[in-house]
Amino acid sequence: MALRIGQSQVRYEDDSLIRGTGSYVGDDPMEGEVAIAFVRSQVAHGVIRSVDISAAKEAPGVLAVFTGEDAVADKLTGFTPRLKPPAANGGEFFNPPAPPLRSGRVRHVGDVIAAVVAETRAEAEAAAELVIAEIDPLPAVTTAAAAAAEGAPLVWDEVPGNIAFLGEQGDKAKVDEAFAGTAHIVEHSFPITRVSPVCMEPRGIVVRFDAAAGTYTVRVGTQATHRMAQSIGPSIGVDPATIRVVSHQCGGSFGMRNNPFAEEVVACYAAAKVGRPVRWTASRTDSFMSDAHAREMVVDAALALDAEGHFLALRALSLPSVGAYYGIMSTMPLFGNLGGIAGVYRTPAIHVTVKGVHTNTQCIGPYRGAGRPEMTYVMERMADLAAAKIGIDRVEIRRRNMIAPDQMPFKTGLVFTYDSGDFPTVMAKTLEAADWAGFPARRAESKQRGKLRGIGISNPIEIAGGPANAPQPEFARLTIAADGKYIAKLGSGDSGQGHITTFRQILGDRFDCEPEDIAIIAGDTGAVPKGTGTFGSRTVAAAGTSLAIAGDKIIEEAKHDAANALEASPNDIVFDRGTFAIAGTDRRISLVELAAKKPDGYTGEFMGATEAATFPNGCHVCEVEIDPEIGTTEIVRYTVVDDVGIMVNPLLVKGQIHGGIVQGLGQVFGEQVVYDEDGQLITATFMDYYMPHADSVPSFDVTGHGVPTKANRLGVKGAGEAGTVGALAVGISAVADALSPLGITHIDMPATPERVWQAIREARRAD
């Protein structure tokens, strides 16, 4: 039976995953492959005096050892960020030179200073232990505040004051004017913690170089195979067209794996040098050191309100740590999604300044939300704090300032113009589903048991499928073969979202074809000629629209064949779910029947963009219960209503939101990458890095209130990051509300038992 849009359907992908027959990077050996291991700096900042590889070269099984000198000699290069914000001094943006094997200096713990290739992984790792690097330590800075302080040690001599870039958006003069005559000003500084994506499958790669053809075959986990090839090529000095990148199953990406890092570049380089396929699989400690980190910044915010609590203006200064170097997408989450700070509210004037700071840490990169959760967190917490200061209910202050549906399209005070949405109804439905009105009774019951109960609210909105005014294109090629099979080749990539199921539903809805007759081909630059990839909650809108237009081309071509077969004018032919008919009659012929008459069937393709980005939004309500004697927090209820437009598969949408919520709550309650003041990574294993478990959260109540968008053919808005965008703010909101009877209005992330207990202790002492 053909699938339809709007139908909940379990993933067809799950069968192979449950049975263990999936194909991850580790499941795909290449004949004659060898292993590579990396020697990493144990010093956060220092001058490399020497790297002695003599013992490693003589170790059993070793085929080659490479150092920074080899990288310089063979002109290996680092990466250039796609988004270049303004330089701090008004001059040219400085991109720190970062060849994949470091020489001269190291600038964070984990910097790669040598690579060892051996017959086996064990031999490569054993030989790597024999490499002796002499490094003279230099002073290090590991937080943005420390790096920006006067007289701080410089990460790069070329970057005065460590200020990597200084950019701003919004109307500063208008904001200043609003603040000058306002009734209320609420100010707060929000430190937002550094986290790691922590994918289930650590990064890995296996690469074969064909010397005769001059081509590379790269097997790697990624959601953007074409981007991976386009980035590796320049780093090793070859045409990206000579690199075939293949990705089947991928155990989590969350944005982090959409671009290469030093290890992938060196593996490709080594494969060409040794003439054997080369494999690398990260250990978990490798991952904590070398995967891009995310989110770390301090945001100083101020909100101006009139006497009735209407938002008049918002200003913010963001001080993010960008790390020692840039990854390809490092600047995007720090500068590219600032418009989200406007939220779902009518704030006429907004101005945001971003001062990026180099630190002796790993680079920052995109991670589920990529700047959106941070901006939502600031706006929603400011709403809570403003309500507390003025004496207005938290829900009421939101109602007074919320954009109404009849105001759409609505140009916010910063960057974005929202095309659709019904924010008041979404919030009202969430409050009803969460039984907000019944909370006082539940709080009283908890108090009788000696517990502190709190409830939080947040109204997230995010851009999906951006940039706002220039969405990126995506590729789709659809073939309806002579045997009646449908073959869709897509430039997107799947890392667990369920793309095969989703696109089968889209095709089934339009062509009335059976799921087993549809093949979805993606994640292979050798099979799909071009593409952009999966990120930013764009895939169903972008690839789905391209697939629909490719289908249009087939229908238009086949319409003439149908007219001939039915002996009618093409103008009299109508198409509906796989069948052509003469309008007003029962004379018809199916598209599959027509395809059977053509040896090559029908093919249509399209590479293009949607009309505009979309703005999925929602409302989250979270309830927590705190044990004041030990500071532990239990999440007891969590309710969400989301507007993601048309839901192709409601079951998968809810699954995406569930996963996003847990990742957001992980950061709220414990996830944090920590460096000490000397730059040593304290959280390099799961012994020290907190991860949420299934028993950390309750069952989520997730429902939808979709307002279709006209920005793409399917009316979808994107759902992959929605859960995380709302979770940071609502989690802290709930904890702060639980502590409010003690006079506590805010607590910073992570709300660990120790931090909560300490806040309670200090409040009781003050009382």
Side-chain angles (χ1 to χ4, degrees):
M1 180 178 178
L3 300 175
R4 296 285 183 258
I5 289 176
Q7 172 185 339
S8 285
Q9 166 68 44
V10 296
R11 299 188 308 176
Y12 289 95
E13 296 90 330
D14 288 343
D15 183 71
S16 65
L17 299 177
I18 292 170
R19 296 174 183 272
T21 59
S23 178
Y24 294 88
V25 176
D27 297 320
D28 195 7
M30 290 187 180
E31 185 178 355
E33 70 178 41
V34 295
I36 190 168
F38 295 100
V39 181
R40 301 183 185 276
S41 173
Q42 299 178 30
V43 176
H45 193 196
V47 177
I48 301 174
R49 294 303 180 192
S50 65
V51 179
D52 185 352
I53 61 174
S54 56
K57 290 175 69 174
E58 300 302 320
V62 171
L63 303 174
V65 183
F66 305 106
T67 68
E69 293 181 358
D70 298 298
V72 172
D74 290 328
K75 299 180 180 179
L76 303 186
T77 63
F79 307 114
T80 300
R82 286 196 173 94
L83 174 62
K84 295 181 182 179
N89 57 7
E92 186 176 350
F93 177 80
F94 176 70
N95 182 33
L101 293 167
R102 312 299 191 215
S103 60
R105 280 195 191 184
V106 292
R107 286 180 168 85
H108 73 86
V109 167
D111 252 348
V112 178
I113 55 179
V116 179
V117 181
E119 292 287 348
T120 68
R121 178 174 179 172
E123 289 173 331
E125 291 177 347
E129 295 286 341
L130 301 177
V131 175
I132 300 174
E134 292 188 6
I135 302 174
D136 292 345
L138 295 171
V141 284
T142 58
T143 67
E150 186 175 352
L154 295 181
V155 179
W156 295 94
D157 295 337
E158 298 89 342
V159 183
N162 292 315
I163 306 303
F165 57 82
L166 181 63
E168 55 184 302
Q169 291 181 353
D171 191 330
K172 184 177 186 301
K174 191 175 180 181
V175 168
D176 291 344
E177 181 182 353
F179 270 85
T182 188
H184 301 287
I185 296 176
V186 180
E187 298 178 294
H188 199 86
S189 182
F190 299 98
I192 299 175
T193 47
R194 174 180 286 248
V195 292
S196 172
V198 195
C199 299
M200 180 177 68
E201 176 196 18
R203 275 191 301 128
I205 184 172
V206 56
V207 52
R208 178 178 61 241
F209 176 67
D210 184 330
T215 59
Y216 298 79
T217 300
V218 175
R219 179 73 167 85
V220 66
T222 181
Q223 292 169 259
T225 50
H226 294 87
R227 280 191 162 193
M228 188 70 74
Q230 291 158 9
S231 299
I232 292 175
S235 292
I236 59 175
V238 304
D239 183 348
T242 65
I243 302 174
R244 179 182 181 183
V245 178
V246 180
S247 179
H248 300 310
Q249 268 89 17
C250 174
S253 170
F254 316 118
M256 184 271 294
R257 301 170 85 139
N258 285 351
N259 297 284
F261 295 83
E263 294 83 2
E264 287 87 353
V265 172
V266 176
C268 292
Y269 167 76
K273 284 289 186 179
V274 301
R276 301 265 297 276
V278 171
R279 176 182 295 277
W280 173 68
T281 303
S283 69
R284 191 56 70 177
T285 296
D286 281 335
S287 294
F288 279 119
M289 285 192 291
S290 65
D291 291 355
H293 297 159
R295 307 225 200 281
E296 183 185 1
M297 63 183 68
V298 177
V299 181
D300 295 331
L303 179 65
L305 307 92
D306 66 15
E308 288 74 39
H310 297 112
F311 301 165
L312 301 179
L314 175 68
R315 68 159 61 104
L317 168 63
S318 174
L319 188 72
S321 166
V322 301
Y325 317 96
Y326 292 113
I328 294 172
M329 295 298 292
S330 286
T331 54
M332 193 282 294
L334 306 179
F335 201 74
N337 288 319
L338 294 179
I341 201 170
V344 297
Y345 309 112
R346 302 182 304 271
T347 308
I350 303 175
H351 182 262
V352 180
T353 302
V354 182
K355 184 188 291 186
V357 182
H358 281 301
T359 54
N360 293 114
T361 62
Q362 170 63 337
C363 71
I364 291 292
Y367 169 53
R368 203 167 194 167
R372 304 167 182 86
E374 298 92 301
M375 294 300 101
T376 293
Y377 176 72
V378 172
M379 183 70 252
E380 290 296 312
R381 289 303 297 138
M382 289 301 288
D384 279 357
L385 293 171
K389 180 173 182 177
I390 300 174
I392 302 176
D393 178 76
R394 286 176 293 162
V395 171
E396 178 57 29
I397 201 169
R398 287 170 165 83
R399 284 198 188 103
R400 291 184 190 183
N401 291 282
M402 195 167 275
I403 301 162
D406 60 7
Q407 294 177 298
M408 297 293 180
F410 185 87
K411 183 173 177 55
T412 71
L414 191 71
V415 184
F416 295 153
T417 297
Y418 303 149
D419 69 303
S420 62
D422 187 350
F423 311 143
T425 298
V426 167
M427 186 171 73
K429 289 182 68 173
T430 310
L431 295 175
E432 181 180 0
D435 188 22
W436 184 277
F439 173 73
R442 296 192 295 277
R443 171 175 264 177
E445 189 277 331
S446 293
K447 185 176 180 181
Q448 289 180 346
R449 293 185 285 106
K451 302 293 179 67
L452 300 171
R453 196 177 187 107
I455 192 168
I457 183 172
S458 73
N459 289 301
I461 187 168
E462 57 169 316
I463 182 173
N469 299 316
Q472 298 180 66
E474 192 52 272
F475 175 79
R477 176 185 291 163
L478 177 63
T479 296
I480 303 174
D483 62 1
K485 302 297 184 183
Y486 288 69
I487 304 166
K489 295 186 175 184
L490 305 173
S492 56
D494 191 341
S495 65
Q497 297 95 331
H499 288 187
I500 291 175
T501 304
T502 300
F503 287 111
R504 281 180 172 177
Q505 287 185 247
I506 292 171
L507 291 172
D509 191 82
R510 190 166 195 201
F511 294 102
D512 200 38
C513 43
E514 300 301 316
E516 58 270 20
D517 291 335
I518 303 170
I520 306 296
I521 298 173
D524 184 346
T525 62
V528 182
K530 49 191 170 182
T532 300
T534 292
F535 48 85
S537 298
R538 70 185 297 270
T539 294
V540 174
T545 293
S546 293
L547 188 61
I549 294 173
D552 288 346
K553 294 183 176 184
I554 289 176
I555 292 168
E556 185 60 30
E557 179 186 350
K559 184 177 183 179
H560 293 275
D561 294 338
N564 290 332
L566 297 173
E567 299 179 333
S569 167
N571 295 331
D572 294 330
I573 300 296
V574 294
F575 177 81
D576 181 50
R577 297 198 173 185
T579 300
F580 292 97
I582 301 175
T585 76
D586 60 357
R587 294 180 61 194
R588 61 190 64 240
I589 187 170
S590 72
L591 182 55
V592 169
E593 289 177 287
L594 291 170
K597 301 175 185 294
K598 298 172 71 72
D600 297 325
Y602 293 102
T603 295
E605 69 175 55
F606 182 75
M607 177 74 172
T610 58
E611 294 181 16
T614 64
F615 295 92
N617 59 87
C619 181
H620 294 220
V621 171
C622 175
E623 255 180 77
V624 301
E625 197 173 69
I626 295 174
D627 185 334
E629 300 308 314
I630 56 177
T632 55
T633 301
E634 180 184 5
I635 306 164
V636 292
R637 296 177 65 150
Y638 201 109
T639 308
V640 182
V641 175
D642 257 315
D643 169 13
V644 296
I646 298 296
M647 286 192 282
V648 175
N649 187 324
L651 181 65
L652 297 194
V653 169
K654 290 181 180 182
Q656 286 289 309
I657 293 170
H658 286 189
I661 291 169
V662 174
Q663 284 185 288
L665 293 178
Q667 183 170 3
V668 169
F669 291 105
E671 284 193 59
Q672 185 177 17
V673 172
V674 179
Y675 291 90
D676 70 14
E677 61 182 10
D678 295 321
Q680 291 299 315
L681 182 61
I682 304 301
T683 50
T685 70
F686 285 136
M687 291 290 289
D688 302 296
Y689 188 90
Y690 167 85
M691 284 290 288
H693 299 158
D695 61 0
S696 304
V697 295
S699 294
F700 301 122
D701 180 4
V702 178
T703 56
H705 181 79
V707 179
T709 178
K710 295 181 180 179
N712 59 71
R713 285 281 296 271
L714 300 176
V716 298
K717 292 183 178 178
E721 293 156 297
T724 307
V725 175
L728 269 66
V730 78
I732 290 295
S733 178
V735 173
D737 184 60
L739 299 175
S740 62
L742 302 175
I744 298 169
T745 59
H746 179 77
I747 187 168
D748 289 327
M749 295 182 284
T752 60
E754 179 184 9
R755 179 169 285 180
V756 171
W757 178 82
Q758 190 65 43
I760 294 171
R761 187 167 178 261
E762 291 175 1
R764 286 174 171 172
R765 185 187 302 121
D767 185 60

